């Protein structure tokens, strides 16, 4: 048996999933305003891009984002180890290997979910990364792929990769069909199989297991934590992100008072001012804010004013404050209309 990992105790109960084109540095900055304790992931970055590409562009993040996990895609142990080392040198505090992405492009590169078919290769990758860095090396995977979709296949995968030193397994609780379903369909069509993840945890109580897939609220996350060590939320974190304003209190028991929408908007204006300029597209930052008022009074005014005011290259962060002003006016009007109606 391999010795206990020194990182086992570092698993955080809640994380926001890696999502390409979504969990970029601006999104993570916004999320960090909402929650100090939740683990945030980057988008998946190809190992080649890290080793050979424009590292500053790919890896830079704001110190105020705090500790984040870098998710890497690849299947070559030596290059993954190199990429992991670069990532840790850049300040990332966890390295995660993607064994869950079913896109054709990723399959053509022989990594992502297709690696579920090659547990020994994943083990070699994890072993190489483990030897290269001292931060946790974790794996995000599916329950299975194609015909390899029985619990025993996943258990075998986990056993082999665990022996190589993986510190945590994040299970997207559905299989992926590698041919015939698009990535989007692969996030919705195969049924969720939470029981397989619970069984994995029961059978391997000493191994950190995180569950992912279809979890939308902090109440649902808290319920999942009765069965597993951690919960990863993806799409529901984007739409709407305010769900996470309660996370530190609700999930981590912290005493922090949740940030208000107005405070958040002001902080994001200051943040946007650091990037603003004639060639900068403010929507890179504000697209994650469009649903800030979702479900409450002023939602439509906010969305419209923010979208209109921030479109185009070189828009000023002042547009965000203008949208806030328009929203507050709309809220006052709605309140006045309600009072008239009930009088
Ligand atoms: C737009 C988008 C991009 C995604 N990109 C990644 C990615 O880069 N790496 C990864 O492991 N999973 C990726 N996923 C999958 C999510 O991490 C997550 O496993 C999936 O959405 C299921 O969780 P949810 O039901 O909470 O959204 C992506 C999902 C979405 C919606």
């Amino acid at each position: 048996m391999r010795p206990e990992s020194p990182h086992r105790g570092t698993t955080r109960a809640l994380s926001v999933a890696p999502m390409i084109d979504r969990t970029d540095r601006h999104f993570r900055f916004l999320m960090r305003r909402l929650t100090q304790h939740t683990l945030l992931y980057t988008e998946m970055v190809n190992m080649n891009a890290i080793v050979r590409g424009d590292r500053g562009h790919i890896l830079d993040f704001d110190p105020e984002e705090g500790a984040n996990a870098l998710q890497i895609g690849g299947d070559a142990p030596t290059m993954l180890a190199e990429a992991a080392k670069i990532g840790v040198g850049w300040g990332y505090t966890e390295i995660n290997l993607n064994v869950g992405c079913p896109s054709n492009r990723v399959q053509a590169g022989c990594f992502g979910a297709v690696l579920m078919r090659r547990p020994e290769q994943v083990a070699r990758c994890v072993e190489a990364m483990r030897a290269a860095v001292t931060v946790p090396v974790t794996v995000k995977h599916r329950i299975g792929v194609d015909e390899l979709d029985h619990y025993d296949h996943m258990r075998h995968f986990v056993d082999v990769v665990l022996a190589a030193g993986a510190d945590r397994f994040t299970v997207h609780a559905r299989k992926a069909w590698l041919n015939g379903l698009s990535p989007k369909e692969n996030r919705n069509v195969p049924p969720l199989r939470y029981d397989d993840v619970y069984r994995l945890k029961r059978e391997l109580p000493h191994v950190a297991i995180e569950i992912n897939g279809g979890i939308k609220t902090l109440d649902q996350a808290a319920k999942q934590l009765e069965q597993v060590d951690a919960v990863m939320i993806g799409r529901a974190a984007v739409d709407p992100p305010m769900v996470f304003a309660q996370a530190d209190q609700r999930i981590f028991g912290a005493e922090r008072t949740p940030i208000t929408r107005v405070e958040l908007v002001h902080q994001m204006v200051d943040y946007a001012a650091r990037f603003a300029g004639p060639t900068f597209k403010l929507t890179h930052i504000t697209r994650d804010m469009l649903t800030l008022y979702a479900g409450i009074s002023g939602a439509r005014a906010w969305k419209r004013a923010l979208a209109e005011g921030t479109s185009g290259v070189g828009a000023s962060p002042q547009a965000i404050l203008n949208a806030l002003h328009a929203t507050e006016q709309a809220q006052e009007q709605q309140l006045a209309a309600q009072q008239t109606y009930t009088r």
Side-chain angles (χ1 to χ4, degrees):
M1 237 176 85
R2 77 189 188 88
E4 268 299 294
S5 159
H7 305 298
R8 192 117 303 150
T10 61
T11 287
R12 282 193 256 167
L14 186 66
S15 71
V16 175
M19 288 181 279
I20 285 183
D21 289 336
R22 299 310 310 226
T23 52
D24 62 9
R25 59 180 297 183
H26 303 312
F27 173 78
R28 296 194 309 264
F29 184 89
L30 175 113
M31 290 306 292
R32 192 55 81 211
R33 304 304 90 215
L34 300 171
T35 166
Q36 294 287 306
H37 298 288
T38 303
L39 179 63
L40 305 179
Y41 282 80
T42 64
E43 310 165 81
M44 180 185 73
V45 188
N46 187 304
M47 61 182 180
N48 280 294
I50 297 173
V51 174
R52 304 201 177 112
D54 175 355
R55 289 180 197 163
H57 178 69
I58 296 165
L59 297 176
D60 270 357
F61 61 88
D62 193 289
E64 283 185 51
E65 273 179 47
N68 295 324
L70 171 64
Q71 191 190 54
I72 308 181
D75 71 335
T78 310
M79 190 177 271
L80 279 170
E82 176 70 15
K85 214 188 292 179
I86 293 167
V88 173
W90 222 265
Y92 290 93
T93 54
E94 175 180 322
I95 300 296
N96 179 265
L97 182 66
N98 182 323
V99 188
C101 180
S103 89
N104 286 339
R105 198 157 50 91
V106 164
Q107 279 186 61
C110 273
F111 58 94
V114 74
L115 280 175
M116 292 289 303
R117 292 185 170 283
R118 300 164 67 207
E120 284 75 15
Q121 185 62 17
V122 176
R124 281 189 280 275
C125 295
V126 166
E127 198 168 24
M129 291 193 286
R130 202 33 311 144
V133 298
T134 54
V135 302
V137 173
T138 60
V139 175
K140 178 169 181 277
H141 63 97
R142 294 276 184 150
I143 286 202
V145 288
D146 300 335
E147 80 290 355
L148 294 179
D149 67 347
H150 292 139
Y151 174 81
D152 293 343
H153 293 127
M154 173 171 72
R155 175 66 204 268
H156 173 67
F157 173 87
V158 169
D159 283 344
V160 171
V161 178
L162 181 65
D167 291 291
R168 184 177 66 249
F169 292 85
T170 299
V171 192
H172 182 175
R174 44 166 70 92
K175 66 177 282 186
W177 286 104
L178 296 180
N179 287 310
L181 289 189
S182 69
K184 189 172 177 189
E185 287 167 332
N186 262 316
R187 291 193 287 267
N188 296 306
V189 175
L192 286 161
R193 289 165 48 186
Y194 293 148
D195 284 344
D196 285 20
V197 188
Y198 304 154
R199 181 175 167 193
L200 189 67
K201 179 63 201 172
R202 273 200 312 277
E203 291 180 1
L204 299 171
H206 59 293
V207 178
I209 302 291
E210 181 171 59
I211 196 165
N212 166 243
I215 298 152
K216 294 191 172 68
T217 65
L218 295 182
D219 282 345
Q220 290 171 3
K223 190 92 190 118
Q224 293 284 357
L225 287 172
E226 293 169 10
Q227 307 273 356
V228 290
D229 301 290
V231 176
M232 173 184 273
I233 296 183
R235 287 163 287 186
V238 181
D239 191 10
M242 275 314 274
V243 166
F244 275 77
Q246 307 289 333
D248 288 354
Q249 281 186 317
R250 179 84 179 83
I251 303 294
F252 297 95
E255 296 199 347
R256 180 173 185 254
T257 311
I259 192 170
T260 65
R261 288 180 175 79
V262 173
E263 287 166 343
L264 179 63
V265 168
H266 282 282
Q267 291 187 15
M268 292 308 292
V269 170
D270 292 345
Y271 174 73
R274 295 188 220 160
F275 295 88
T279 57
F280 185 71
K281 278 190 177 170
L282 194 56
T283 48
H284 286 322
I285 294 174
T286 54
R287 67 175 184 165
D288 301 317
M289 300 169 68
L290 287 168
T291 54
L292 209 54
Y293 284 79
I296 65 166
S297 162
R300 205 181 311 160
W302 166 257
K303 204 168 180 175
R304 191 173 54 219
L306 190 69
E308 286 173 3
T310 58
S311 69
V313 178
S316 160
Q318 177 64 36
I320 307 174
L321 286 179
N322 295 344
L324 180 62
H325 187 58
T327 307
E328 287 170 343
Q329 276 184 332
Q331 286 174 327
E332 278 167 27
Q333 282 164 8
Q334 275 178 27
L335 194 63
Q338 270 168 13
Q339 282 168 348
T340 312
Y341 184 73
T342 51
R343 216 175 277 148

